Amino acid sequence: MGRFANGVNRMRSNSGRYRRGVRMRIMSIVVGVCINIMLSAFAIYFKLPLYLNTIGTMCTAWIGGIFPGVMTAFFTNLICEFYSYDALYFSLINVLTAIYVVYFRKKHEKVSVGDMVIFSLVSGFSCGLMGSLIELFLYRNISNYTILGIADHFRLLLDISPVMSLSFANISMHIIDKGLSLVITLFIIRAIPNDIVRSIRDGVWRQRPLSEEELKDLRNWGRDIRLSSRTRMTFVLIGLSTALLFIVGSIGVNLFFKEAKTERTETAQRTVKIVAEVLDTDRLEEYLTKGRAADGYAETEEILRHVCVNAYGVEKLRVVKVMEGGAYFVFDLDKNSETEQHEPGSYVPIKEEFKPYNDDFLMGNEIEPIQSRDDSGVFLNIYYPLRNKGENTGYYVGAEISFTTVAMILLRFLNKMGLILVGFFVLIIVFVTWMTDMYVEYPISSLARCVDRFASAGYDQETLDENVMTVRKLGIHTGDEVEKLYHAVCQMTLNQAEQMRNVRRLSESTAQMQDGIIITMANMLENRDSDTGAHIQKTAAYVKIIAEGLRRKGYYAEKITPRFISEVVRSAPLHDVGKISITDRVLNKPGKLTDEEYEIMKTHTIAGKKIMETAISTVHGESYLREARNMAAYHHERWDGKGYPEGLHGEGIPLSARIMAVADVFDALTSPRVYKPAFTIEKALRMVEEGAGTQFDPKCVEVFMEALSEVEAVFERYNANHISSFEDRMSEEYEDEFAVVSGPDQKIG
């Protein structure tokens, strides 16, 4: 219940921190936009060659990250549109500046002068180049008149083209602008209290905020993921946005062309009808023959020019007299004053597009719109007949609509909208990516990472408990299915850890019971052997010392594991279990054994092996019993192959048996027997050391000798009475007789 209450309190704390963080981020965006607008207005008012419209963006991006930085950049340009008509077209530049600031901060937590220079050059060159391209392609010029003056100086000084000078001036001013903006940004950030910075930076997490090290660990852990949820969501968003833009754009372009064609055609038709009504048809012949010298020609031409200029979509207005195979111009007016115009009375052959309508022209019929094409573009021609009292005069009023002009207008519109939409789409992508990170990517990845650690913890209870606490400390509060999954995983891991604790307690109880049975069996055997007082306890302790020493030195690393050490130590008391088959007459004989008796004594290894194999088959193969079998069967094998029962040698002898061989012989040497006194510990150690490489595994002897303090502690614990001087003298007499490398009549172990 206490853990549950702590979890609830943590969730409430995280929720409150999130609300405070959201408020602080919104406030930082508002303040950043205000800073941008005020400094931008200041630069415009005083006609500075700088922009100063990204300082607020840099501050919010530096503190809060990519999302508030992009929001500040976009809304700054959106608001600036009210007093600077083209500001919104440059929103993409400021959005990219915010993204670069976030990238720069991650790489440079402590900014040096060199770092500031690099930032100024990279961001200034990029922004200046993009800004120059936008202004030159959209407006054919730079809108900042102060920069235009600087560009003129560059052009005269460097003798370069106007476009190059404008671009060079714009890039230079952007480099200075971004460098100055970064300096001001760093001063502002240093003045902001750290608790406010932390609240803005960490408050929006829907879980415990992750450090850079934790984020790096998550990225390394997820390298084998083919496609993350964030990447998938970004691709889906970009794909849907592109498809939607293409579909809507195609429909919009098609509708625009249809609407523009219909509107301009109707305007042209009304225009030619109006002209037909105002023209004096009785004077057209005079205008044709005398041209500009005719009385009233200039006044009529001025009226027609006025109509042409004010007729929306009409590029050209003309009056012609149609003849067989061509036409004579009476009036020819063009909105483009630079276009060459036909003089009155000039003759023009009929174009191919007009030939199918030649008869209708000659008969004075109304002509449907005719589409034509020349080097300057595609046009739609509207012709209306001029009649005099209902009779055909042969004269027509013509109006020409340029589809090329419509396409250019549409292209400029699409360019401008494209710049706006790209900035808006970047904002949307950043927002969706941020939402995916906060609500899906980081919570699920953190949860999956913790579950992976939990699963790989194995049976280590301490690690399991630590991982349970790590999962609960995540504090995920997304308010959706992810949060429900988190609570389910918390409960599952807690239950699993508790179950594992219960299983471990049961396993430990079972192991204690098994160990008790083993000790009981070994004690029963020990009571038969009058020579082996506390032998099983001492050999088990020596086995543990040797096994841990091997692990410490890194010997047999693939074999020496904590589980192996535990199994060997637990199995050690059973190494002489085969002696149960030896008669008391041989087992407790107070003297040397005959060859026949020694052969009987040697059979205890074979008997022990059979006993343990029977036990293994009965309990379905407990692994520690396998090590007990190895020790019971082979602890009298020698490194040089002269041991028994199978004459194994070197690493062909099971490792547990090689360890037991050292422990068994050392205890036999230092313990009194009915057939010998106890050797001193110094002499026993010397004899074991002399047997390294012949009787014993030299690595086992090495680690045994290096742990003399532990060996002496075990020896003193089970040998409270020191060896008497008589025993010391007797040991000298028996030293040669019971040397480790002595003949087959020994009964050691």
Side-chain angles (χ1 to χ4, degrees):
M1 183 63 71
R3 290 182 178 179
F4 177 76
N6 291 335
V8 171
N9 293 333
R10 190 180 299 112
M11 295 294 290
R12 290 175 178 173
S13 175
N14 289 336
S15 180
R17 175 177 51 78
Y18 174 76
R19 288 193 293 270
R20 289 193 301 273
V22 170
R23 289 196 298 268
M24 293 301 296
R25 281 209 167 191
I26 294 175
M27 186 179 298
S28 69
I29 293 172
V30 172
V31 172
V33 171
C34 292
I35 292 174
N36 286 341
I37 292 174
M38 288 188 296
L39 293 178
S40 176
F42 175 82
I44 293 174
Y45 181 79
F46 288 99
K47 298 180 180 180
L48 299 177
L50 304 176
Y51 299 94
L52 302 180
N53 60 346
T54 57
I55 295 176
T57 301
M58 290 183 180
C59 291
T60 52
W62 193 283
I63 296 174
I66 189 171
F67 177 63
V70 170
M71 289 282 287
T72 303
F74 186 81
F75 281 105
T76 295
N77 286 75
L78 185 63
I79 295 174
C80 288
E81 182 72 14
F82 289 102
Y83 63 87
S84 179
Y85 71 94
D86 59 351
L88 200 56
Y89 304 140
F90 298 90
S91 60
L92 176 62
I93 296 177
N94 288 344
V95 165
L96 295 178
T97 299
I99 296 174
Y100 179 65
V101 168
V102 175
Y103 170 80
F104 182 81
R105 183 187 66 80
K106 289 182 178 180
K107 295 293 184 181
H108 309 281
E109 282 292 342
K110 295 182 179 180
V111 183
S112 64
V113 176
D115 297 332
M116 295 173 64
V117 172
I118 293 174
F119 177 87
S120 303
L121 292 175
V122 173
S123 61
F125 180 82
S126 303
C127 293
L129 182 60
M130 291 180 62
S132 298
L133 293 175
I134 291 173
E135 291 191 319
L136 289 172
F137 279 103
L138 289 183
Y139 309 112
R140 310 290 182 181
N141 208 337
I142 300 293
S143 58
N144 192 315
Y145 293 105
T146 307
I147 293 181
L148 285 174
I150 297 174
D152 288 337
H153 288 294
F154 279 133
R155 182 171 56 83
L156 296 174
L157 181 64
L158 302 177
D159 191 22
I160 55 179
S161 66
V163 173
M164 289 293 295
S165 63
L166 287 172
S167 301
F168 192 74
N170 206 19
I171 291 173
S172 300
M173 291 302 101
H174 266 286
I175 291 174
I176 298 174
D177 177 76
K178 295 303 179 288
L180 180 61
S181 298
L182 179 61
V183 172
I184 298 175
T185 296
L186 294 177
F187 275 111
I188 293 175
I189 292 172
R190 289 183 180 179
I192 300 175
N194 290 332
D195 57 338
I196 295 179
V197 174
R198 284 194 300 269
S199 181
I200 295 173
R201 184 172 295 174
D202 299 337
V204 294
W205 284 86
R206 301 302 286 170
Q207 63 178 84
R208 177 182 59 81
L210 300 178
S211 65
E212 289 295 332
E213 291 75 14
E214 290 174 318
L215 290 174
K216 184 178 180 181
D217 177 66
L218 278 184
R219 287 191 290 268
N220 292 333
W221 174 76
R223 282 181 177 176
D224 58 339
I225 297 176
R226 294 179 59 186
L227 193 65
S228 66
S229 57
R230 170 208 262 183
T231 305
R232 184 184 297 109
M233 186 65 68
T234 303
F235 283 160
V236 169
L237 181 63
I238 293 175
L240 290 177
S241 301
T242 303
L244 181 63
L245 182 62
F246 178 78
I247 294 172
V248 174
S250 300
I251 295 174
V253 169
N254 189 36
L255 291 176
F256 178 85
F257 265 110
K258 287 184 178 179
E259 191 68 26
K261 180 179 179 181
T262 301
E263 181 182 3
R264 289 169 184 255
T265 300
E266 291 176 353
T267 301
Q269 289 173 342
R270 289 194 300 270
T271 300
V272 296
K273 289 179 180 180
I274 292 173
V275 171
E277 291 177 0
V278 301
L279 277 177
D280 186 356
T281 55
D282 292 334
R283 307 190 66 179
L284 290 177
E285 285 293 334
E286 183 181 358
Y287 292 159
L288 178 61
T289 56
K290 294 183 179 180
R292 300 185 187 280
D295 187 26
Y297 183 94
E299 291 79 1
T300 303
E301 185 180 40
E302 186 62 29
I303 293 172
L304 296 180
R305 188 182 305 280
H306 182 73
V307 172
C308 180
V309 170
N310 290 279
Y312 175 73
V314 175
E315 300 293 330
K316 295 180 180 180
L317 187 64
R318 55 177 65 109
V319 178
V320 298
K321 183 175 183 179
V322 180
M323 305 294 289
E324 183 71 32
Y328 290 94
F329 277 87
V330 180
F331 294 97
D332 185 18
L333 304 170
D334 196 325
K335 281 186 177 179
N336 187 0
S337 58
E338 297 180 359
T339 303
E340 184 178 355
Q341 300 175 4
H342 295 91
E343 292 297 324
S346 58
Y347 176 81
V348 176
I350 189 170
K351 296 182 178 179
E352 288 295 328
E353 296 90 342
F354 289 82
K355 286 182 179 180
Y357 305 94
N358 188 56
D359 293 339
D360 289 324
F361 274 112
L362 295 176
M363 294 174 63
N365 297 331
E366 291 190 15
I367 308 298
E368 65 182 30
I370 304 172
Q371 185 170 314
S372 63
R373 181 188 300 270
D374 59 23
D375 294 339
S376 59
V378 181
F379 304 92
L380 189 67
N381 298 273
I382 309 297
Y383 281 90
Y384 187 76
L386 293 173
R387 304 182 191 279
N388 187 3
K389 297 178 182 180
E391 298 293 331
N392 178 27
T393 62
Y395 287 92
Y396 275 82
V397 178
E400 188 177 272
I401 303 168
S402 174
F403 285 159
T404 303
T405 302
V406 175
M408 292 177 62
I409 293 173
L410 178 61
L411 182 60
R412 285 198 295 270
F413 172 77
L414 291 178
N415 288 338
K416 294 179 180 179
M417 285 303 299
L419 290 172
I420 297 173
L421 288 176
V422 168
F424 181 73
F425 280 151
V426 171
L427 174 64
I428 295 298
I429 291 172
V430 168
F431 175 73
V432 172
T433 303
W434 173 77
M435 289 288 290
T436 304
D437 284 344
M438 295 297 106
Y439 283 84
V440 180
E441 178 83 8
Y442 290 144
I444 290 182
S445 296
S446 301
L447 191 58
R449 183 73 176 100
C450 290
V451 171
D452 187 50
R453 287 199 190 100
F454 187 86
S456 61
Y459 301 100
D460 185 59
Q461 189 65 46
E462 184 177 353
T463 305
L464 287 175
D465 292 338
E466 289 178 358
N467 287 332
V468 169
M469 294 303 298
T470 301
V471 173
R472 299 181 71 84
K473 286 179 181 179
L474 287 177
I476 296 174
H477 54 282
T478 56
D480 53 18
E481 296 83 357
V482 175
E483 184 175 347
K484 293 191 70 174
L485 174 64
Y486 165 69
H487 289 303
V489 171
C490 284
Q491 192 62 42
M492 181 194 69
T493 53
L494 179 61
N495 293 340
Q496 188 71 19
E498 291 300 323
Q499 289 178 3
M500 188 59 66
R501 183 176 287 105
N502 294 333
V503 169
R504 179 170 282 101
R505 289 170 181 167
L506 179 61
S507 177
E508 289 174 354
S509 299
T510 304
Q512 289 175 358
M513 181 180 66
Q514 293 172 341
D515 291 344
I517 294 174
I518 291 173
I519 295 298
T520 300
M521 291 175 59
N523 283 334
M524 291 174 60
L525 175 63
E526 185 177 349
N527 290 333
R528 288 190 64 231
D529 189 347
S530 60
D531 288 340
T532 54
H535 179 60
I536 58 174
Q537 291 88 349
K538 289 185 286 182
T539 52
Y542 296 144
V543 163
K544 184 177 181 181
I545 291 172
I546 296 171
E548 290 180 346
L550 291 173
R551 185 186 183 191
R552 224 172 10 251
K553 298 282 286 188
Y555 295 150
Y556 309 118
E558 72 285 352
K559 182 69 174 176
I560 301 290
T561 63
R563 186 170 182 175
F564 173 82
I565 295 175
S566 174
E567 292 170 354
V568 170
V569 173
R570 291 175 63 193
S571 302
L574 295 174
H575 74 282
D576 274 337
V577 68
K579 287 185 178 180
I580 197 169
S581 65
I582 307 300
T583 64
D584 290 341
R585 178 180 61 82
V586 175
L587 185 65
N588 294 317
K589 179 179 180 180
K592 294 182 180 180
L593 299 177
T594 65
D595 293 343
E596 181 181 355
E597 290 170 337
Y598 184 62
E599 290 300 322
I600 294 173
M601 178 64 72
K602 288 165 62 176
T603 61
H604 81 278
T605 56
I606 300 174
K609 180 179 180 181
K610 291 180 179 179
I611 292 172
M612 297 315 305
E613 286 179 344
T614 302
I616 289 172
S617 63
T618 302
V619 298
H620 303 290
E622 283 287 341
S623 59
Y624 77 92
L625 292 182
R626 292 193 180 93
E627 296 302 336
R629 176 197 60 191
N630 290 337
M631 286 190 286
Y634 305 115
H635 69 282
H636 283 292
E637 296 286 0
R638 291 170 53 102
W639 185 259
D640 57 11
K642 297 179 180 179
Y644 63 87
E646 297 180 14
L648 302 179
H649 64 88
E651 294 187 11
I653 307 170
L655 180 58
S656 57
R658 304 201 305 267
I659 294 173
M660 174 53 71
V662 176
D664 187 40
V665 169
F666 177 77
D667 182 63
L669 290 173
T670 55
S671 301
R673 294 289 189 264
V674 294
Y675 54 86
K676 76 166 187 69
F679 293 142
T680 63
I681 189 172
E682 293 80 7
K683 291 181 179 179
L685 288 171
R686 187 174 67 251
M687 296 169 73
V688 169
E689 189 173 18
E690 290 172 354
T694 54
Q695 183 170 359
F696 307 118
D697 182 344
K699 292 180 180 178
C700 293
V701 174
E702 176 188 340
V703 299
F704 188 73
M705 299 300 295
E706 290 179 354
L708 289 182
S709 59
E710 299 176 53
V711 172
E712 291 174 352
V714 173
F715 178 80
E716 292 176 0
R717 187 189 316 148
Y718 293 101
N719 296 273
N721 299 322
H722 293 290
I723 300 175
S724 65
S725 58
F726 171 77
E727 290 175 325
D728 189 39
R729 289 195 303 273
M730 291 295 296
S731 68
E732 293 178 359
E733 298 177 8
Y734 280 87
E735 180 175 354
D736 294 335
E737 187 173 354
F738 294 100
V740 179
V741 292
S742 60
D745 56 351
Q746 65 172 354
K747 200 175 71 166
I748 294 177

